[in-house]
Amino acid sequence: MKKIGILTSGGDAPGMNAAIRAVARRAYAEGLEVYGINYGFAGLVAGDIFPLDEEVLNDKIARGGTFLYSARYPEFAKVEGQLKGIEQLKKFGIDALVVIGGDGSYHGALRLTEHGYNTVGLPGTIDNDIPYTDFTIGFDTALNTAVDAIDKIRDTATSHRRVFVVEVMGRNAGDLALWAGVATGAEAIIVPERDYDMDKIAKRLERFREEGHDNAIIVLAEGVATAADFKAELDKHGDFDSRANTIGHMQRGGVPTARDRVLASKMGNYAIELLLQGKGGLAIGIEDNKITHHPMEDLFDEKHHADLDLYDMNNKFNQ
Amino acid sequence: MKKIGILTSGGDAPGMNAAIRAVARRAYAEGLEVYGINYGFAGLVAGDIFPLDEEVLNDKIARGGTFLYSARYPEFAKVEGQLKGIEQLKKFGIDALVVIGGDGSYHGALRLTEHGYNTVGLPGTIDNDIPYTDFTIGFDTALNTAVDAIDKIRDTATSHRRVFVVEVMGRNAGDLALWAGVATGAEAIIVPERDYDMDKIAKRLERFREEGHDNAIIVLAEGVATAADFKAELDKHGDFDSRANTIGHMQRGGVPTARDRVLASKMGNYAIELLLQGKGGLAIGIEDNKITHHPMEDLFDEKHHADLDLYDMNNKFNQ
Amino acid sequence: MKKIGILTSGGDAPGMNAAIRAVARRAYAEGLEVYGINYGFAGLVAGDIFPLDEEVLNDKIARGGTFLYSARYPEFAKVEGQLKGIEQLKKFGIDALVVIGGDGSYHGALRLTEHGYNTVGLPGTIDNDIPYTDFTIGFDTALNTAVDAIDKIRDTATSHRRVFVVEVMGRNAGDLALWAGVATGAEAIIVPERDYDMDKIAKRLERFREEGHDNAIIVLAEGVATAADFKAELDKHGDFDSRANTIGHMQRGGVPTARDRVLASKMGNYAIELLLQGKGGLAIGIEDNKITHHPMEDLFDEKHHADLDLYDMNNKFNQ
Amino acid sequence: MKKIGILTSGGDAPGMNAAIRAVARRAYAEGLEVYGINYGFAGLVAGDIFPLDEEVLNDKIARGGTFLYSARYPEFAKVEGQLKGIEQLKKFGIDALVVIGGDGSYHGALRLTEHGYNTVGLPGTIDNDIPYTDFTIGFDTALNTAVDAIDKIRDTATSHRRVFVVEVMGRNAGDLALWAGVATGAEAIIVPERDYDMDKIAKRLERFREEGHDNAIIVLAEGVATAADFKAELDKHGDFDSRANTIGHMQRGGVPTARDRVLASKMGNYAIELLLQGKGGLAIGIEDNKITHHPMEDLFDEKHHADLDLYDMNNKFNQ
């Protein structure tokens, strides 16, 4: 192995740049040449590939987004697309690849491995919805962004004695809502992994109000409903002077937290170690605070599990 | 004058607590007793009034929201409500009042002055929509919150080459949009004070894309349209892979910026100086970097003027 | 068990308030009465104890510092002090205690347990220097504060092509330096757990400069040297236009990160579960991403281990 | 005028990049070519000059530091240096210049104007120590950085009932200390513009302590003393459990605030307007909230005046 390529795929996430940097830095240390591939698999197929100089990386560890850009490219699911990509790898002499993105991008990565181009995957998404990893790159930053926003909303909820329904991202996973809800002392957390009973929630809010605790935050995972729909339903169960709020796309950007940068650095570093061992088709994770790897195909049969102890604990806190 | 009261009214704004603290601190220094009135004019009428101890104030300068709570209370427009309020002032022996809020709350404040209770008003609102002041308490914080959010959105706009329509607050005033737009290098700013031509905007975005500048932020004042509606209209003029985003209520909360705290402190300090001079019915402002005051009735006939030079400058930058 | 007490001891740390809140909230849910004890063991001995109302807790999860105040109180090492403390527990009818602080405070906690007052300890310190826990409450916030400061210093280092020696906290542990160093892409990390060779460091900086990488950050743990002393030594090995900078006490304060709040919540919750099982003399930790407990005496014989893989990885990155 | 150059000089300040961008954007709009000059006057003399492409500017508005780098270059005070610089201007065909930096850099700028190369100066420094401008580019960001740091220190001061002496930057000007002191509710502010009486300060702190207000922040301008020296002197006047803290170089970096970005944009825009009118040798400022200009030589005879009303007000608040 002499030359490796790096690409980012799917939704961007803070810490992707730190991961790219770590892959490249460790690769340089091992005497490898490093190529950046712009716009994910689309750029691979199009040959949007360039040598990744050390100086380009200098200030990237602290930047949100991905400086290699990202794109969704379903066409890579077809053999035709894959073969075009391989042509480009041949043209640039790239032997192996690191792919940073959601588990959707691991399908393409596995195909390349099968074609003889070892590819290692790093879990890059704010949604924390990838199996075999406790945390994804970007989750901690998105979480802190959501918490900071909810703290601000709490100020105005308190000043005006209001109930806010705050919708956070996470696609079909409740992780962002669970962590953000616990971290902001939410009076209720609504996640796809658990049913909710609006009548109970309304009763809880009413009881709080009687006790003098007259503002509330309901943290709602986008996988359940929109804030506006949930609020409309809530309003049918009582008069709470409620407001709906969606935090939105800002959760996808921003300066990565220390945790995300360190996680991205460890994972990027480990990707090179695996490739140096001649391995491919592997997805990197962090499990029980240790960096691990699993065959990519194992992820396709497995589901991510949110930490529902947080849900139960938060209910206890609001009992 | 021996005892003064303080209340906050209308939408809460960061820096209101700093203003309350300044009023109280200066009042103590002048040997006055200070009463807090919870929930604005509603609390005044209800007699929700308490002596404001120094220790309560200790950590308030850095807190968002208003620890005196706020409420809208249209009933205070009627003489009946005013008389009930005055009864409470008599009961507590309060001679004069400081009201922090939007110019809507100045009507009630003026009535109290006419009844012999000198009242001074401080402009507290994130919307910056009050006449005779260049800046309101809370505007700088809301602006920085919006800018921080848009910076994060720019990360993902850049990574994915997208156009984001970002709706900021400001009610009928374009100030937040103008400042946030200039501060984030927005490709277009849409404000109620100026008409827009969607065709021109679309052409500008297309030209940028041809030049390789392939992401864009359109900062939209809520007084013009919702982000979703504006995006829908934009999409009729071209295929921009656009997204709509509303920053929402977080703009109303959060730790106040240095600028807002200093402005609030200066204004609160000046309110006591005016009251000590036996004056009332006055609205405080900052004009040309100096703390000023005007008769409240003057504000009712005047409109706030946004700094439209920012609009023209931003158009030049995107020419 | 009907009544529990909570105190914070040793240096304050962000997240202590979130821990207090979690202990109290879970205790309420179990029908317990909760007392706050001000100023740690000093306040226990002095009887500075009060019922902890639910409303006091409402906005505490997001606040830095400890609203129960903290103090160092070596006198509690003596039986005399302990007996006075127990007198107070009797007076207030408190059956069990939760102590949040460094492992120094666990000695007092263990004595109380031996006297029949079950006491559970939570690791609250920014230094991450407590055995049997991968992370302490406060570490993540202090880390992000340090990283944010170093990011800012990097701006000026880059603009002026300078070398900055930045001293971070951590007492005798290198954790803060290791994590902050990796997270900011430090060109060198200096920790008490590893010797350093100033000559090698100087050579590395010179090599970087020749390669056009002409600014550098050296993250220095306070347990090794002061920034000023280290800089003076560095300057003997070359002309780097170096600057010394100490981040200082701000690392001990600030709004806790999401991670610290969730960790504090989980640990506080678990403390009540242990006490409900009639257990005491236990120190809570998080190991391999799971909440655990160990007998306090085990901690006295054990040392904390920093993650030195970070050190080696960072050296690879700067090879 | 067809081609203009831009350079940054002296200490870097947040917002310099926003100023560069504004100069360039407005210049493009006027059909001008724009050159960046690296490392201030040193780079001008060395010919480190390059065409400033639009795409380079895209994400610069939100970045701290100066991407054109900065340097102090006293050699430019001599005619020899100036002539070398002019040679470079001729070589690149540059007709006019914008210089962003402290008023020290205006001397060089004025010399170039006298040689026929119109040069306009923008006040870029965190110290706010330039005459004929109420605010400099970078001051607002540094102020907010200082305030954020002091807020964090307040947390630990409160938890431990301590007195902190916090040293902020500002060179010989007290502005940063004055604004940061008012914004954080400092119990005392020490600035070069006013003498202090340590005995009075100690008495104030003792009185506060007796009133139950048992922590304090003294904000100290670096132009007066170091934090360590001031603390040592304070300790001779009483036992305050005091700590010394220096915020340090982080005040020079960081993402610029909205205010700094808008100010930089307005000033950069105005610089091109002046140059288009064939003017040079002018220093731009903001006075009474309006963008203004003055002949550079006027600044050499004038001194900056800090807003000492803030000092008196803060004393009232702590009376």
Side-chain angles (χ1 to χ4, degrees):
Chain A
M1 186 174 62
K2 288 186 176 169
K3 294 184 187 178
I4 64 153
I6 313 175
L7 63 83
T8 50
S9 175
D12 63 328
M16 280 184 161
N17 286 329
I20 297 166
R21 172 192 174 270
V23 169
R25 286 278 198 172
R26 179 63 192 266
Y28 300 146
E30 304 295 341
L32 302 171
E33 283 179 63
V34 184
Y35 284 81
I37 301 165
N38 285 325
Y39 299 111
F41 291 108
L44 173 63
V45 167
D48 192 348
I49 298 173
F50 64 102
L52 205 52
D53 290 340
E54 291 215 41
E55 76 185 284
V56 170
L57 298 168
N58 277 342
D59 66 345
K60 291 297 184 292
I61 197 169
R63 303 274 176 251
T66 161
F67 79 94
L68 293 180
Y69 307 99
S70 190
R72 303 189 195 271
Y73 189 65
E75 294 86 336
F76 205 74
K78 296 184 188 155
V79 177
E80 205 188 322
Q82 295 156 21
L83 293 179
K84 278 189 195 162
I86 285 164
E87 238 170 84
Q88 295 293 347
L89 294 178
K90 276 188 189 151
K91 186 174 146 194
F92 285 87
I94 295 172
D95 309 299
L97 222 65
V98 177
V99 168
I100 307 165
D103 52 355
S105 57
Y106 291 178
H107 289 275
L110 188 53
R111 292 295 92 74
L112 291 175
T113 303
E114 291 164 355
H115 284 288
Y117 294 87
N118 277 336
T119 301
V120 169
L122 264 63
T125 166
I126 65 157
D127 298 316
N128 212 44
D129 59 354
I130 298 184
Y132 290 115
T133 193
D134 295 330
F135 300 108
T136 54
I137 297 168
F139 174 67
D140 192 64
T141 305
L143 169 62
N144 278 287
T145 296
V147 164
D148 184 53
I150 298 171
D151 281 354
K152 287 183 168 72
I153 292 169
R154 177 72 80 174
D155 282 341
T156 188
T158 304
S159 300
H160 286 278
R161 298 187 288 187
R162 279 180 186 147
V163 172
F164 275 85
V165 177
V166 184
E167 178 190 334
V168 299
M169 286 187 164
R171 303 215 302 184
N172 294 315
D175 296 63
L176 253 180
L178 287 167
W179 283 73
V182 168
T184 57
E187 279 73 7
I189 303 174
I190 314 295
V191 291
E193 291 87 352
R194 288 283 171 92
D195 292 331
Y196 66 90
D197 178 336
M198 189 63 93
D199 204 50
K200 269 196 185 170
I201 292 169
K203 288 222 170 72
R204 181 188 289 181
L205 296 181
E206 271 160 20
R207 178 169 51 82
F208 280 162
R209 200 159 49 179
E210 282 161 21
E211 294 167 6
H213 174 146
D214 52 11
N215 75 84
I217 300 284
I218 299 174
V219 175
L220 170 71
E222 66 176 354
V224 176
T226 67
D229 286 350
F230 191 92
K231 172 198 148 39
E233 201 193 330
L234 173 66
D235 288 349
K236 289 180 199 156
H237 288 72
D239 178 14
F240 298 107
D241 196 7
S242 70
R243 297 285 185 281
N245 201 88
T246 303
I247 298 182
H249 287 86
M250 59 181 287
Q251 292 165 93
R252 297 213 165 272
V255 171
T257 59
R259 197 68 76 130
D260 267 333
R261 299 188 203 179
V262 172
L263 179 62
S265 299
K266 283 178 170 182
M267 287 179 163
N269 183 58
Y270 190 58
I272 295 297
E273 291 187 1
L274 291 174
L275 291 177
L276 285 171
Q277 294 166 23
K279 293 177 181 166
L282 298 175
I284 292 180
I286 182 166
E287 296 171 278
D288 298 344
N289 208 26
K290 283 170 195 65
I291 303 296
T292 60
H293 65 266
H294 290 270
M296 281 171 172
E297 54 261 53
D298 288 5
L299 275 75
F300 304 148
D301 304 326
E302 184 56 77
K303 284 192 61 168
H304 160 78
H305 303 289
D307 178 2
L308 290 168
D309 289 351
L310 292 174
Y311 185 87
D312 298 328
M313 183 177 76
N314 203 62
N315 275 339
K316 283 272 182 201
F317 286 169
N318 287 291
Q319 199 165 297
Chain B
M1 186 172 63
K2 288 187 176 166
K3 295 185 188 177
I4 63 152
I6 313 174
L7 63 82
T8 50
S9 175
D12 63 327
M16 280 185 163
N17 286 330
I20 297 166
R21 172 192 174 270
V23 170
R25 286 276 200 173
R26 179 62 193 266
Y28 301 146
E30 304 294 341
L32 302 171
E33 282 180 64
V34 183
Y35 285 81
I37 301 166
N38 285 324
Y39 300 111
F41 291 108
L44 174 61
V45 167
D48 191 350
I49 299 173
F50 64 102
L52 206 51
D53 291 340
E54 293 214 41
E55 76 185 284
V56 170
L57 298 168
N58 277 342
D59 66 344
K60 292 297 184 292
I61 198 168
R63 303 272 176 253
T66 161
F67 79 95
L68 294 180
Y69 307 100
S70 191
R72 302 188 195 273
Y73 189 66
E75 293 86 336
F76 205 74
K78 296 185 188 155
V79 178
E80 204 189 321
Q82 295 156 21
L83 293 179
K84 277 188 196 163
I86 285 165
E87 236 170 86
Q88 295 293 347
L89 293 178
K90 276 187 190 152
K91 187 174 146 193
F92 285 88
I94 296 171
D95 310 299
L97 222 65
V98 177
V99 168
I100 307 164
D103 51 356
S105 56
Y106 291 178
H107 290 275
L110 188 53
R111 291 297 91 75
L112 292 175
T113 302
E114 291 163 355
H115 285 288
Y117 294 86
N118 277 336
T119 302
V120 170
L122 265 63
T125 166
I126 65 156
D127 298 316
N128 213 45
D129 58 355
I130 298 184
Y132 291 115
T133 193
D134 294 330
F135 299 108
T136 54
I137 297 168
F139 174 68
D140 192 64
T141 306
L143 169 62
N144 278 288
T145 296
V147 165
D148 184 53
I150 298 170
D151 281 354
K152 288 183 167 71
I153 292 169
R154 178 72 80 172
D155 282 341
T156 188
T158 304
S159 299
H160 286 278
R161 298 187 287 187
R162 279 179 185 147
V163 173
F164 275 86
V165 177
V166 184
E167 179 190 334
V168 299
M169 285 188 165
R171 304 214 301 182
N172 293 315
D175 296 63
L176 254 179
L178 287 167
W179 284 72
V182 168
T184 57
E187 279 73 6
I189 302 175
I190 314 295
V191 290
E193 291 87 352
R194 289 282 172 92
D195 292 331
Y196 66 90
D197 179 336
M198 190 63 93
D199 204 52
K200 269 196 185 169
I201 293 168
K203 288 222 169 73
R204 181 188 289 181
L205 297 181
E206 271 160 21
R207 178 169 50 82
F208 280 162
R209 201 159 48 180
E210 281 160 22
E211 294 167 6
H213 174 146
D214 53 10
N215 74 85
I217 300 284
I218 299 174
V219 175
L220 170 71
E222 66 176 354
V224 176
T226 67
D229 286 350
F230 191 92
K231 173 197 149 39
E233 201 193 330
L234 174 66
D235 289 350
K236 289 180 198 155
H237 288 73
D239 178 15
F240 298 106
D241 196 8
S242 70
R243 296 287 186 278
N245 201 88
T246 302
I247 298 182
H249 287 87
M250 59 182 288
Q251 291 165 93
R252 297 213 165 271
V255 172
T257 59
R259 196 67 76 133
D260 267 333
R261 298 187 203 180
V262 172
L263 180 61
S265 299
K266 282 179 171 180
M267 287 180 164
N269 182 59
Y270 190 57
I272 294 297
E273 291 188 0
L274 290 174
L275 291 177
L276 285 172
Q277 294 166 23
K279 292 178 182 166
L282 298 175
I284 293 180
I286 183 166
E287 295 171 278
D288 298 344
N289 207 26
K290 283 169 195 65
I291 302 298
T292 60
H293 66 267
H294 291 270
M296 281 172 171
E297 53 261 52
D298 288 6
L299 276 75
F300 306 149
D301 305 325
E302 185 55 78
K303 284 192 62 169
H304 160 78
H305 303 289
D307 179 2
L308 290 168
D309 288 351
L310 292 174
Y311 185 87
D312 298 327
M313 182 177 78
N314 203 62
N315 275 339
K316 282 273 180 200
F317 287 169
N318 287 291
Q319 198 165 297
Chain C
M1 187 174 61
K2 289 186 176 167
K3 295 185 188 178
I4 64 151
I6 314 175
L7 63 82
T8 50
S9 175
D12 62 327
M16 279 186 163
N17 285 330
I20 297 165
R21 172 191 175 272
V23 170
R25 287 276 199 174
R26 179 63 192 268
Y28 301 146
E30 304 295 341
L32 302 172
E33 283 179 64
V34 183
Y35 285 81
I37 301 166
N38 285 325
Y39 300 111
F41 291 108
L44 173 62
V45 167
D48 192 350
I49 300 173
F50 64 102
L52 205 53
D53 291 340
E54 293 214 41
E55 74 186 282
V56 170
L57 298 168
N58 276 343
D59 66 345
K60 292 298 184 291
I61 198 169
R63 302 274 176 254
T66 161
F67 79 93
L68 293 180
Y69 308 99
S70 190
R72 302 190 195 271
Y73 188 64
E75 294 86 335
F76 205 74
K78 296 186 189 155
V79 178
E80 205 188 322
Q82 295 157 19
L83 293 180
K84 278 188 197 163
I86 286 165
E87 236 170 85
Q88 296 292 346
L89 294 177
K90 276 186 189 152
K91 188 173 146 193
F92 285 87
I94 296 171
D95 309 299
L97 222 66
V98 177
V99 168
I100 308 164
D103 51 356
S105 56
Y106 291 179
H107 289 274
L110 188 53
R111 291 297 92 76
L112 292 175
T113 303
E114 290 164 356
H115 285 287
Y117 293 86
N118 277 336
T119 302
V120 169
L122 264 64
T125 166
I126 65 156
D127 298 316
N128 213 45
D129 59 355
I130 298 185
Y132 290 115
T133 192
D134 295 330
F135 300 108
T136 55
I137 297 167
F139 173 68
D140 192 64
T141 305
L143 170 62
N144 278 287
T145 296
V147 165
D148 184 53
I150 298 170
D151 281 355
K152 287 183 167 73
I153 292 170
R154 178 73 81 174
D155 282 341
T156 188
T158 305
S159 299
H160 287 278
R161 297 187 289 187
R162 281 181 185 146
V163 173
F164 275 84
V165 177
V166 184
E167 179 190 333
V168 299
M169 284 187 166
R171 303 214 303 182
N172 293 314
D175 296 62
L176 254 179
L178 286 167
W179 284 72
V182 168
T184 57
E187 279 72 7
I189 303 175
I190 314 294
V191 290
E193 291 85 353
R194 289 282 170 93
D195 293 331
Y196 67 89
D197 179 336
M198 189 63 93
D199 204 51
K200 269 195 185 168
I201 293 168
K203 288 223 169 73
R204 181 188 290 180
L205 297 181
E206 272 160 21
R207 178 168 51 83
F208 279 163
R209 202 160 46 179
E210 281 159 25
E211 294 167 8
H213 175 148
D214 52 11
N215 75 85
I217 300 284
I218 300 174
V219 175
L220 170 70
E222 66 177 353
V224 176
T226 67
D229 286 350
F230 191 92
K231 172 198 150 38
E233 200 193 331
L234 174 66
D235 288 349
K236 289 180 198 155
H237 289 74
D239 178 14
F240 298 106
D241 196 7
S242 70
R243 295 286 186 280
N245 201 88
T246 303
I247 298 181
H249 287 87
M250 59 182 287
Q251 291 165 91
R252 297 213 165 272
V255 172
T257 59
R259 196 67 74 131
D260 267 332
R261 298 187 203 180
V262 172
L263 179 62
S265 299
K266 282 179 171 180
M267 287 180 164
N269 182 59
Y270 189 58
I272 294 298
E273 291 187 0
L274 291 174
L275 290 176
L276 285 171
Q277 295 166 22
K279 292 178 182 166
L282 298 174
I284 293 179
I286 182 167
E287 296 171 277
D288 297 345
N289 207 25
K290 283 171 194 66
I291 302 297
T292 60
H293 66 267
H294 291 269
M296 281 172 173
E297 53 261 52
D298 288 6
L299 275 75
F300 305 149
D301 304 325
E302 184 57 78
K303 285 191 62 168
H304 160 78
H305 303 288
D307 179 1
L308 290 168
D309 289 352
L310 293 174
Y311 185 87
D312 298 327
M313 182 176 79
N314 204 62
N315 275 339
K316 283 271 182 203
F317 286 170
N318 287 291
Q319 197 165 301
Chain D
M1 187 174 60
K2 289 186 175 168
K3 294 185 188 177
I4 64 152
I6 312 175
L7 63 83
T8 50
S9 175
D12 62 327
M16 281 185 161
N17 286 330
I20 297 165
R21 171 191 176 272
V23 170
R25 287 277 199 173
R26 179 63 193 268
Y28 300 146
E30 304 294 341
L32 302 171
E33 283 179 63
V34 184
Y35 285 81
I37 301 165
N38 285 325
Y39 300 110
F41 291 108
L44 173 62
V45 167
D48 192 350
I49 299 172
F50 64 102
L52 206 53
D53 290 341
E54 292 214 41
E55 75 185 283
V56 170
L57 298 168
N58 276 344
D59 66 346
K60 292 297 184 290
I61 198 169
R63 302 273 176 253
T66 161
F67 80 93
L68 293 179
Y69 308 99
S70 190
R72 303 188 195 273
Y73 189 64
E75 294 87 336
F76 205 73
K78 297 185 188 155
V79 178
E80 205 188 320
Q82 295 156 20
L83 293 180
K84 277 189 196 163
I86 286 165
E87 236 170 85
Q88 297 292 346
L89 295 177
K90 276 187 191 151
K91 188 173 147 194
F92 285 87
I94 296 171
D95 309 299
L97 222 65
V98 177
V99 168
I100 307 165
D103 51 355
S105 57
Y106 291 179
H107 289 274
L110 187 53
R111 293 295 91 77
L112 293 174
T113 304
E114 291 164 355
H115 284 288
Y117 293 87
N118 277 337
T119 302
V120 169
L122 265 62
T125 165
I126 65 156
D127 298 317
N128 213 45
D129 59 355
I130 298 184
Y132 290 115
T133 192
D134 295 330
F135 300 107
T136 54
I137 298 167
F139 173 68
D140 192 63
T141 306
L143 170 62
N144 278 287
T145 297
V147 165
D148 184 52
I150 298 171
D151 280 355
K152 287 183 167 72
I153 292 169
R154 178 72 81 174
D155 282 342
T156 188
T158 304
S159 299
H160 286 277
R161 297 186 290 186
R162 280 181 186 146
V163 172
F164 275 85
V165 178
V166 184
E167 179 190 333
V168 300
M169 285 186 165
R171 304 215 301 183
N172 294 315
D175 296 62
L176 254 179
L178 287 167
W179 283 73
V182 168
T184 57
E187 279 73 7
I189 303 174
I190 314 294
V191 291
E193 291 86 352
R194 288 284 170 92
D195 293 331
Y196 67 89
D197 179 336
M198 189 64 92
D199 204 52
K200 269 195 186 170
I201 293 168
K203 287 222 170 73
R204 181 188 289 180
L205 297 181
E206 271 160 21
R207 178 168 51 82
F208 280 163
R209 203 160 46 179
E210 281 161 22
E211 294 167 5
H213 175 147
D214 52 10
N215 75 85
I217 300 285
I218 299 174
V219 175
L220 170 71
E222 66 176 354
V224 176
T226 67
D229 287 349
F230 191 91
K231 171 198 150 36
E233 200 193 330
L234 174 66
D235 288 349
K236 289 180 198 155
H237 289 72
D239 178 14
F240 298 107
D241 197 7
S242 70
R243 296 286 186 281
N245 201 88
T246 302
I247 298 181
H249 287 87
M250 59 182 288
Q251 291 165 91
R252 297 214 165 271
V255 172
T257 59
R259 196 67 75 131
D260 267 332
R261 298 187 203 180
V262 172
L263 179 62
S265 299
K266 282 179 171 180
M267 287 180 164
N269 183 59
Y270 190 56
I272 294 297
E273 292 187 1
L274 290 175
L275 291 177
L276 285 171
Q277 295 165 23
K279 292 179 182 165
L282 298 175
I284 292 179
I286 182 167
E287 295 171 278
D288 297 345
N289 207 26
K290 284 171 194 64
I291 302 296
T292 60
H293 66 267
H294 290 269
M296 281 172 173
E297 52 262 52
D298 288 5
L299 276 74
F300 306 148
D301 304 326
E302 185 56 78
K303 285 191 60 168
H304 159 78
H305 302 289
D307 179 0
L308 290 168
D309 289 351
L310 293 174
Y311 185 87
D312 298 327
M313 183 176 77
N314 205 60
N315 275 338
K316 283 271 182 202
F317 287 170
N318 287 291
Q319 198 164 298

